[in-house]
Amino acid sequence: MSHHIFTSESVSEGHPDKVADQISDAILDAVLALDDTAHVAAETFVGPDFVCNLGEVTAQGFERLNCEQIARDIVKEIGYDRPEERFSWDTFTYENRMQGQSPDIAQGVNRGSVEEQGAGDQGMMFGYATNETPSYLPAPLAFAHQLIARFTRERHAHTIPWLRPDAKSQVSVVYDGHRIVRISDIVLSHQTTADVSIGEIRRVIQGIIREELAPTGLVDADTRLHINPTGRFVVGGPAGDSGLTGRKIIVDTYGGASGHGGGCFSGKDPSKVDRSAAYYARYVAKNIVAAGVADRCSLQVSYAIGEAAPVSYCLNFFGTGHGPDEETVTRFLHEGGLFDFRPGKIGEALSLRAPKGWTYRQTTNGGHFGRSLFPWEQLDKVPALRAALGLA
């Protein structure tokens, strides 16, 4: 494909699905602080003045955890603090319907050793990386995340008093082959208070967008900006649309530029390969690209529930390889040594049960990839990869 446009979106911390993700991951953080061997699959549902937790948790001391207080604290930090908006931290009704993990699943996961620990479910996970941006993320997604991050900072700093928590961005990038040409369209829908005109909203938001993306050199006079296209976005957040954990999996990963196995991340402990193996696949794909093996890399890995070793690997360099081909590198992954895809070893390598310098809640906003504070973003395997594949 030569000349084409690719589009990706991002959402803010106040988007209903992201409210749910943050509560689920805050519960996960709290449970792992109590018991780092815990099994957690915390689900959250939010709606008008309502929050409900469901799912499974098996952990020592879990009965002491106040999940309702965790939910209220998260909603307050996000900025939902006005009861008249029909979703506020101090007025919503809360329900907790969580239970213990199924013993049928537990017997496949609890194998007694890190090496033998089985996958918590079957499935396929994808890791992806591209050298088109410094974060090794696709440009449309990286720019969409960047815009949401900027408006989140503006809102928390109260520099734009009429901004409210719910927002979505969308960026369309024009490519000539794999080369980025320009940004053709930007969509930004931001919840606001009712006391500001659409003209003022568009004037301020357009100015910030152009300022934020000016350093890219990709926004020109012909770039179309679509700001609050319906003309009004006052009713937002869970009052305007229900939210569920795991419903923004494309925002969380690669903006549609890569495949996705279908499993979400938030609320799940590292025994769930939906999360841990997806993180590890990103780690491997990013190191492959950084090592100069290819300009773009997609890695699929699959598992059978209760078994430690992956069922399959599939690499795709999209015709951008430099030296060893996909078959050679796949054989290298199968042989192990440098990368170990067994679930227990993944958790050990990335310190997923005892995070240091980061929390699972931090993964929920701005995507799970592309930020250096997460251990799956490190490039420590590049020298060994280059040596092993004859690129040194």
Side-chain angles (χ1 to χ4, degrees), residues 38-40 101 109 117-121 269-274 276 343 353:
H39 293 304
V40 184
Q101 184 184 46
V109 176
Q117 178 188 320
D121 200 354
D269 75 84
S271 72
K272 278 73 172 176
V273 284
D274 281 338
S276 55
R353 289 204 166 271

Side-chain angles (χ1 to χ4, degrees), residues 86-231:
R86 296 192 305 127
F87 188 76
S88 180
W89 70 273
D90 53 348
T91 59
F92 66 72
T93 299
Y94 177 81
E95 290 188 23
N96 188 335
R97 300 294 181 88
M98 287 188 283
Q99 60 182 355
Q101 184 184 46
S102 162
D104 296 346
I105 296 174
Q107 72 176 3
V109 176
N110 300 332
R111 292 289 176 81
S113 73
V114 169
E115 290 76 16
E116 295 174 338
Q117 178 188 320
D121 200 354
Q122 70 175 50
M124 56 281 185
M125 299 82 212
F126 286 85
Y128 180 82
T130 171
N131 61 9
E132 66 188 61
T133 65
S135 63
Y136 292 84
L137 287 179
L141 181 66
F143 298 150
H145 284 330
Q146 183 179 340
L147 289 177
I148 288 295
R150 171 66 184 274
F151 282 100
T152 299
R153 292 195 301 271
E154 298 285 350
R155 180 173 62 83
H156 281 296
H158 306 291
T159 53
I160 307 174
W162 38 262
L163 290 179
R164 297 300 292 147
D166 195 359
K168 298 178 79 171
S169 65
Q170 183 175 289
V171 178
S172 300
V173 173
V174 180
Y175 288 83
D176 183 6
H178 298 309
R179 184 177 66 87
I180 298 171
V181 178
R182 56 184 293 268
I183 295 173
S184 66
D185 291 83
I186 298 169
V187 183
L188 198 297
S189 295
H190 210 303
Q191 182 189 14
T192 71
T193 56
D195 56 352
V196 59
S197 70
I198 186 62
E200 177 69 1
I201 291 167
R202 288 173 175 164
R203 182 189 69 80
V204 172
I205 289 179
Q206 285 180 8
I208 291 175
I209 288 173
R210 291 191 178 277
E211 174 189 299
E212 184 66 26
L213 295 184
T216 68
L218 300 172
V219 179
D220 55 34
D222 294 325
T223 299
R224 293 170 294 193
L225 273 60
H226 313 262
I227 311 302
N228 285 18
T230 70

Side-chain angles (χ1 to χ4, degrees), residues 63-81:
E63 68 280 356
R64 302 196 305 270
L65 205 62
N66 189 338
C67 293
E68 177 177 351
Q69 191 59 54
I70 290 172
R72 294 193 186 279
D73 288 345
I74 293 298
V75 172
K76 185 177 183 180
E77 288 173 27
I78 291 169
Y80 284 115
D81 53 7

Side-chain angles (χ1 to χ4, degrees), residues 228-247:
N228 285 18
T230 70
R232 180 180 169 88
F233 184 10
V234 172
V235 179
D241 186 14
S242 61
L244 292 168
T245 300
R247 206 160 57 175

